[in-house]
Amino acid sequence: MKQAILLRHGDTAANLARRYCGATDLPLDPASLAAFLAQRPELHYPDPTGYDVLTSGMRRTEETLAAIYGDLPHRAEAAFREIDFGVFENRAYEELKDDPAYQAWITGDNDQNVCPGGESGVQMTRRVLAAWESLTRDTLLVSHGGVIAAIMAHLFPDEGKHRWQWQPRPYCGYLLTFDEAGPQYREIP
């Protein structure tokens, strides 16, 4: 692989309400999608010609790919799905703050802590990086904030950023270039 385009899906209603949304298969928020489509002609995304195009297969990634690039042939790769928040899925902090299981998860190293009925950040990262390492062609991936953050933290450990500082805004991401000097990136759009 010489290049990769990593793009985060657009906002869902759960994102806007600050709910934990990983394994829940939600569509894009209609108002946010309309706002994006209104500004889309002014945004410059890399040309996907010649790229192996992937999504996580979740509805929000499928709709985002279509919003940015139109009807582009692609395949779904479930390994690039967001972390599964288990029993915390589609719930907000205010709903969970007094739940002992939630407090146990967010206390201490919540990257290591497993969400009841879900997975840990470490488990998600392991799954994502195994799939990432198997890619051999230039790739355009429409995925999730946590997935992209895990890939970027892995590729650029010397940047000194916490994994979540790599999480791009909705409809944004990174263009990665790989050469003998190592990986480089620029933000997109």
Side-chain angles (χ1 to χ4, degrees):
M1 177 172 21
K2 294 180 184 176
Q3 289 194 319
I5 301 166
L6 305 178
L7 294 171
R8 183 183 179 191
H9 64 79
D11 280 319
T12 66
N15 296 134
L16 297 171
R18 302 186 57 81
R19 294 180 171 279
Y20 290 99
C21 178
T24 306
D25 195 13
L26 299 173
L28 294 177
D29 175 72
S32 293
L33 175 58
F36 172 76
L37 291 173
Q39 68 173 347
R40 172 63 185 99
E42 302 165 18
L43 302 174
H44 301 286
Y45 287 91
D47 181 353
T49 303
Y51 282 72
D52 190 15
V53 181
L54 306 172
T55 70
S56 71
M58 304 292 282
R59 187 170 171 190
R60 58 194 180 265
T61 63
E62 295 287 321
E63 292 175 1
T64 299
L65 176 64
I68 295 172
Y69 289 108
D71 187 20
L72 194 61
H74 65 283
R75 63 186 168 88
E77 178 57 61
F80 291 113
R81 289 187 175 184
E82 184 62 276
I83 186 173
D84 183 344
F85 291 107
V87 300
F88 307 137
E89 275 290 324
N90 215 14
R91 297 176 68 197
Y93 173 81
E94 286 301 316
E95 299 170 60
L96 294 167
K97 66 182 179 182
D98 297 323
D99 182 333
Y102 178 74
Q103 286 300 320
W105 176 63
I106 65 169
T107 303
D109 186 353
N110 79 334
D111 200 38
Q112 293 281 344
N113 295 345
V114 177
C115 298
E119 63 186 332
S120 71
V122 169
Q123 290 168 326
M124 182 272 295
T125 297
R126 191 175 305 126
R127 165 175 50 82
V128 167
L129 293 180
W132 175 258
E133 294 299 326
S134 74
L135 301 176
T136 58
R137 297 185 53 215
D138 289 351
T139 300
L140 186 163
L141 172 64
V142 181
S143 192
H144 308 268
V147 170
I148 294 170
I151 293 168
M152 294 299 288
H154 170 73
L155 292 174
F156 301 98
D158 297 335
E159 293 267 334
K161 292 183 180 182
H162 181 273
R163 182 175 72 169
W164 297 112
Q165 291 172 309
W166 286 110
Q167 182 169 295
R169 296 181 324 275
Y171 298 105
C172 296
Y174 300 97
L175 173 63
L176 302 171
T177 305
F178 301 90
D179 61 24
E180 62 279 347
Q184 294 98 45
Y185 70 91
R186 73 172 174 84
E187 294 183 19
I188 50 176

